[in-house]
Structure formats: structure tokens, C-alpha cells
Amino acid sequence: MAFRSVILGAPASGKGTISSRIVKTFGLEHVASGDRLRINITKNTPIGKTAKKYIEEGLLVPDDLMVNFISEEIRQIKKNIWLLDGFPRTVSQAESLWRVQKLDVVLNLVVPYNIIVDRVKGRWIHLPSGRVYNTDFNAPKVPGKDDITGEDLVQRKDDSPEIVLKRLEQYEKMTRPVINFYKEKGILEEFAGNTSDEIWPKVKSVLLNYLSEVK
Ligand code: ATP
Ligand code: MG
């Protein structure tokens, strides 16, 4: 059994939240490029040091660096059942990935921009796991603490209003064309909604055509 997929969507469109529900329901391996980069920044690794400069400005990390980084992460996955989140983000990344690995399905989350800009204000994350909370609609049980580990939550520097606008701009310019790349391959599935709770049942029903639930 093999299943290879990608989840696309603007910054803060709920990729992380939907991905964690997919993982819980279908038990596949989740590789989130942003989470992996942030872990490297925390550990101050060479790639972390380079990536930090771009991320804090709301710019994309260069393609060659990302392709090598994610290829290595994919190589380390033991099962052939996985979901990439945050990669690819440019047509050049999508082409590189397609050369080494054809995909079964690409999920695209479509959320209005005014909702996104509003949503990042209340967003808090647990760095080591990438778990995402929102003080407005998905608050942690204890303010500022991760539900599972009890460790501190942080707000991302690049979630400040100015940088979010920059990220949305980059998304339009660099990532929007990736949607068409996959549409032309005939593997794109789109899901529109204002909240993850609204989007999730639609995603689940599409994935049930490919995978079975873990429990
Ligand atoms: P969200 O937190 O909702 O997923 P996002 O998609 O903007 O929003 P991340 O995926 O966490 O955020 O990525 C954060 C930053 O990491 C990006 O703004 C970018 O600088 C860098 N990054 C992550 N993945 C890539 C990639 N595939 N190519 C280039 N840069 C990347
Ligand atoms: Mg993310």
C-alpha cells in the first residue's frame, strides 16, 4: 500500500490543523516543512541559521535548499504513506518533487483572506510538535501551555500583521501557480470554507476513497 499526498493553502489556512486530523484518522506520516525548519532554527543548525533570515522577513527559503532538505526528510520515512505540508511552494519545487515522486492526490484549502489575517492574531504554537492553538476558537486547556506536554506555547515572529501580508503576497506570486501545476496533472482536490471544522468532513470523505481509518 502506498499513498503520497500534498496539502496546499495560504498561510494560516489551516494546513496544520487539517493535517493533524488526517494523521489521527488515517495514520500517515506528516512532513511539515515549516515545522521542520523551525526545529532547525531552535537547534541553530546550519540550515536553521540560513532559513531564519528568510522566514522572519516573510520570504521563501531558496528552492535548492528546500528541495535537498525535504528530499532527505522523505528518504527517512519508512512507510510509503505520507502527506507533505508546506512543500512544494513554488513550481520549481513541484517539478523537482514530481521527477522523483508522483503523487496520488493534492488537497488545496481555500479560506478567505480576511479570515486568515484575523486568525493569525490569536495563534499560538508548540514548537517541538507543531501543534497549533488559537485563543479565539481552539484555546489550550491551560493558557500558554501545550495540552499534551504542558510545555510553553509561543507566537511566531512571522505571524505579526506586516509579515503575514508579506507571506500572503509571496503566496500569490510563488505558490498560486503550484495549484495549476497539480490541476493539470488531474490530481487536485479543493476544499473551501471559513473554518477547519467546516473543511474537515469534506477532506475526510475524499481521503476515504484512498485510505481506511486506523481505528
Ligand atoms: P502555516 O503556519 O499556516 O502553515 P505557512 O504555510 O505560511 O503558514 P509554514 O509552512 O510554517 O507557514 O512556513 C513558514 C515559513 O517557512 C515560510 O514563510 C517560508 O519562509 C518557509 N518555508 C516553509 N516551507 C517552504 C518551502 N517549501 N519553500 C520555501 N520556504 C518555505
Ligand atoms: Mg504549517
Side-chain angles (χ1 to χ4, degrees), residues 1-6 18-31 77 79-84 105 107 207 210-212 214:
M1 162 78 202
F3 177 78
R4 302 171 182 99
S5 58
V6 160
I18 296 291
S19 295
S20 67
R21 294 187 192 183
I22 294 174
V23 170
K24 212 171 143 200
T25 308
F26 298 105
L28 40 67
E29 197 80 34
H30 174 223
V31 177
I77 302 178
K79 300 184 283 184
N80 279 325
I81 306 179
W82 45 251
L83 172 69
L84 301 182
V105 67
L107 314 168
L207 290 181
Y210 300 86
L211 298 163
S212 42
V214 281

Side-chain angles (χ1 to χ4, degrees), residues 93-157:
Q93 291 178 14
E95 284 167 344
S96 301
L97 176 63
W98 197 258
R99 276 195 293 274
V100 296
Q101 187 57 72
K102 308 280 178 288
L103 303 170
D104 296 286
V105 67
V106 172
L107 314 168
N108 183 37
L109 309 185
V110 183
V111 178
Y113 276 12
N114 59 322
I115 303 256
I116 287 180
V117 171
D118 224 43
R119 217 190 249 179
V120 282
K121 293 180 194 149
R123 181 153 83 160
W124 290 77
I125 63 162
H126 178 241
L127 264 177
S129 68
R131 271 187 288 280
V132 188
Y133 299 86
N134 198 294
T135 47
D136 298 328
F137 52 83
N138 174 34
K141 291 185 187 119
V142 178
K145 303 288 176 192
D146 177 44
D147 286 354
I148 313 277
T149 63
E151 289 167 352
D152 286 346
L153 302 178
V154 296
Q155 285 200 291
R156 282 165 51 175
K157 268 193 192 154

Side-chain angles (χ1 to χ4, degrees), residues 14-102:
K15 295 186 296 292
T17 303
I18 296 291
S19 295
S20 67
R21 294 187 192 183
I22 294 174
V23 170
K24 212 171 143 200
T25 308
F26 298 105
L28 40 67
E29 197 80 34
H30 174 223
V31 177
S33 57
D35 293 351
R36 307 276 164 128
L37 288 172
R38 280 185 288 277
I39 289 168
N40 276 272
I41 291 174
T42 307
K43 291 187 180 155
N44 212 16
T45 65
I47 179 154
K49 280 185 203 162
T50 308
K52 187 170 195 269
K53 293 184 266 186
Y54 294 94
I55 293 178
E56 288 185 351
E57 296 294 321
L59 299 171
L60 295 184
V61 176
D63 284 336
D64 52 341
L65 212 149
M66 283 313 298
V67 168
N68 289 332
F69 180 59
I70 296 298
S71 306
E72 188 47 41
E73 299 276 331
I74 293 174
R75 257 195 298 277
Q76 286 173 20
I77 302 178
K78 281 154 226 94
K79 300 184 283 184
N80 279 325
I81 306 179
W82 45 251
L83 172 69
L84 301 182
D85 160 3
F87 183 94
R89 246 184 171 82
T90 64
V91 170
S92 151
Q93 291 178 14
E95 284 167 344
S96 301
L97 176 63
W98 197 258
R99 276 195 293 274
V100 296
Q101 187 57 72
K102 308 280 178 288

